[in-house]
Amino acid sequence: MLLVGAVVAVIWLRGLSVPDHSTVKHAHTYMSQAKHAEARELMHNGALLFFSYNQQNSAADLSMLVLEVLEKSETKVEDEILESLAKLFSRMDQNSPERVAFVSRALKWSTGGPGKLGHPKLHQLLAVTLWKEQNYSESRYHFLHSTDGEGCAQMLVEYSTSRGFRSEVDMFVAQAVLQFLCLKNKNGASVVFSTYTEKHPSIEKGPPFVQPLLNFIWFLLLAVDGGKLTVFTVLCEQYQPSLKRDPMYNEYLDRIGQVFFGVPPKQSPSYGGLLGNLLNSLMGSGEEDDTAEEAQEDSSPIELD
């Protein structure tokens, strides 16, 4: 009944006349009869209607109620539902706090609870929306947790050509590949690298490449497939001049060494300060201990620059 009351309050108090008495009646009927899909559809369509009238607050309220229905009814994750949530997200004001709350809660629902990073399909849909909005940093975060390596690469090409310096074309993809590997996603790392280097207008065909950093990434992907620690160690030593261009590279490589080459974790705290927070957020370190899992409870987008 609390949910129904909230629907009634939203419709009556916002002062918008489009949803009428029948809408309220139907919402009440659906919830009392446990017709959750019908109630969800009614609120979803109501939210879209409010969005069409630029009633952002009312639309956001109904959007959150859609999630509440999904949570209380224990609805199974389906592509159609994920697409409907992404549609609501795309209509929300880009700078509103309600949007951050909505995406955090939607991701949490999509994987069944706290400490999870969200369903890959939902991440992919969010990434595409943010890409269209030219919010490249947050788009990249969501692509990293999706299975769409090709889409990620195409977004990074646009990001690099529109916002980056020509001298940094190799750094855009290097960061993405290292982050994919930290997430144990070898296939995503390979697809991002091959697609990016093929499609970027400022990168000559390779391998080998003109940029040493691209050659390092190419060799690294081969080394990960081979699994030989000596190859990985020599590779990191030989390319230190390129790796020093970004202080995060060696942090990522420490993690990659642990994941793919059996390198033991450092005895002292491996990652501290800002760099550690970024890396732990990226990797979803909640897999490893309960304390870190609590820190991951809010899966809202973050910038990884």
Side-chain angles (χ1 to χ4, degrees):
M1 295 300 296
L2 178 62
L3 182 59
V4 175
V7 175
V8 174
V10 168
I11 293 173
W12 282 95
L13 296 180
R14 293 301 185 185
L16 189 62
S17 61
V18 276
D20 56 17
H21 291 279
S22 64
T23 304
V24 179
K25 182 179 179 180
H26 287 148
H28 186 284
T29 301
Y30 290 147
M31 292 305 298
S32 64
Q33 296 177 355
K35 293 183 177 180
H36 300 114
E38 291 85 348
R40 186 180 70 247
E41 182 179 2
L42 185 65
M43 285 182 282
H44 178 269
N45 292 337
L48 292 178
L49 191 57
F50 276 121
F51 278 128
S52 70
Y53 282 83
N54 199 31
Q55 297 290 315
Q56 284 284 330
N57 290 334
S58 300
D61 288 343
L62 282 177
S63 297
M64 295 300 285
L65 288 175
V66 169
L67 290 174
E68 188 171 333
V69 173
L70 290 172
E71 294 164 351
K72 291 189 174 182
S73 61
E74 299 182 352
T75 303
K76 293 183 179 180
V77 176
E78 298 176 356
D79 284 356
E80 182 180 356
I81 296 176
L82 296 178
E83 289 166 2
S84 70
L85 295 178
K87 187 173 184 179
L88 293 175
F89 173 80
S90 70
R91 301 293 297 275
M92 291 182 180
D93 187 322
Q94 297 176 24
N95 299 313
S96 69
E98 291 82 6
R99 196 188 208 199
V100 175
F102 177 82
V103 71
S104 177
R105 191 170 175 180
L107 288 168
K108 188 180 297 183
W109 167 78
S110 73
T111 43
K116 307 295 184 180
L117 292 171
H119 195 283
K121 176 66 175 180
L122 182 55
H123 276 295
Q124 191 267 342
L125 294 169
L126 296 172
V128 171
T129 295
L130 292 161
W131 178 9
K132 291 177 181 177
E133 296 171 1
Q134 298 184 340
N135 190 340
Y136 298 113
S137 183
E138 289 190 10
S139 175
R140 179 183 57 199
Y141 170 83
H142 289 291
F143 269 125
L144 284 168
H145 297 290
S146 75
T147 57
D148 187 6
E150 184 174 352
C152 182
Q154 292 174 341
M155 181 276 295
L156 289 173
V157 169
E158 182 178 308
Y159 190 8
S160 169
T161 54
S162 63
R163 303 282 178 86
F165 296 104
R166 186 181 179 89
S167 61
E168 297 175 337
V169 295
D170 51 350
M171 299 182 73
F172 279 82
V173 71
Q175 182 187 46
V177 169
L178 294 175
Q179 291 175 340
F180 268 109
L181 291 176
C182 283
L183 292 168
K184 306 178 185 179
N185 189 347
K186 290 195 296 182
N187 182 65
S190 296
V191 172
V192 167
F193 183 73
S194 60
T195 304
Y196 183 92
T197 53
E198 288 172 7
K199 294 185 178 295
H200 201 295
S202 298
I203 295 178
E204 297 181 12
K205 298 298 181 183
F209 300 95
V210 173
Q211 298 90 341
L213 186 59
L214 293 182
N215 288 323
F216 169 78
I217 296 297
W218 175 50
F219 284 129
L220 176 63
L221 290 171
L222 294 176
V224 165
D225 282 333
K228 293 184 178 180
L229 177 57
T230 53
V231 175
F232 173 71
T233 302
V234 171
L235 187 60
C236 292
E237 290 174 351
Q238 291 297 314
Y239 281 90
Q240 271 305 305
S242 295
L243 297 178
K244 288 180 179 179
R245 293 172 64 189
D246 187 329
M248 276 302 295
Y249 289 164
N250 284 316
E251 297 282 343
Y252 291 138
L253 289 168
D254 284 344
R255 174 63 176 173
I256 292 168
Q258 295 172 32
V259 171
F260 294 104
F261 300 97
V263 177
K266 296 177 181 178
Q267 295 301 312
S268 58
S270 297
Y271 314 113
L274 176 61
L275 299 183
N277 291 336
L278 293 178
L279 190 57
N280 288 333
S281 297
L282 168 67
M283 294 185 301
S285 57
E287 300 175 351
E288 299 176 7
D289 58 77
D290 294 336
T291 303
E293 183 175 71
E294 292 175 4
Q296 280 298 107
E297 212 170 299
D298 183 358
S299 299
S300 57
I302 61 171
E303 293 188 0
L304 297 172
D305 286 335

